[in-house]
Amino acid sequence: MSEQTTSKLYAIVHCKCPHCRRGDIFTGSMYGWNIQHTKEICGHCAQRIEIEPGYFYAAMYVSYAMNVIEMLFASFITYLIFGPLTDETFWPYLIVIFAGCFILYPFNYRYSRIILLHVLSPNIKYKPYYDK
């Protein structure tokens, strides 16, 4: 009888609880008319998602790092298309960078919290017995 465990990568990509890797962390879809909210408690293992009050303030730092990387990537793509930053190319750079930040906001919101929970939280450990 083989026991199949849920991989950490699967849990991160699909936004699952870091404790059981089965329960959903968010309500609603990332992009859509339903606003995404972070659940307070995992529906599968009853793990508190927000461990302490203000816990997700640290996700702002992760989101900031993600935003910086995305802006650098967007400015590099803009550089390849429009050339170096000059007075004539200022507005295309600005529009592309801000549009990228605006479009990727739901992604950053969701995955900054996921990275904080799965990678940067030493207090939440995976319990494989929830896979049974």
Side-chain angles (χ1 to χ4, degrees), residues 104-118:
L104 291 174
Y105 169 73
F107 175 84
N108 289 344
Y109 173 82
R110 184 171 282 216
Y111 282 99
S112 64
R113 290 176 177 225
I114 293 297
I115 290 170
L116 179 68
L117 285 169
H118 280 274

Side-chain angles (χ1 to χ4, degrees), residues 43-95:
H44 190 264
C45 68
Q47 167 72 35
R48 284 192 48 80
I49 302 298
E50 187 172 4
I51 300 169
E52 57 192 30
Y55 177 72
F56 286 121
Y57 284 130
M60 290 187 307
Y61 299 109
V62 177
S63 178
Y64 176 75
M66 292 169 68
N67 243 337
V68 167
I69 292 168
E70 292 159 1
M71 283 192 248
L72 289 172
F73 183 72
S75 61
F76 179 70
I77 297 298
T78 308
Y79 174 78
L80 292 177
I81 295 171
F82 292 102
L85 179 62
T86 61
D87 289 342
E88 293 82 28
T89 60
F90 173 75
W91 286 106
Y93 270 86
L94 194 68
I95 290 169

Side-chain angles (χ1 to χ4, degrees), residues 2 11 35 37-38 45 51-52 61 85 98 100 124:
S2 68
I35 297 173
H37 294 287
T38 307
C45 68
I51 300 169
E52 57 192 30
Y61 299 109
L85 179 62
F98 279 121
I124 302 177

Side-chain angles (χ1 to χ4, degrees), residues 6-18 21-22 25 111 114 118:
T6 308
S7 71
K8 186 169 194 157
L9 181 62
Y10 176 87
I12 290 172
V13 169
H14 294 283
C15 301
K16 300 296 183 182
C17 171
R21 296 183 184 168
R22 296 285 178 168
I25 293 179
Y111 282 99
I114 293 297
H118 280 274

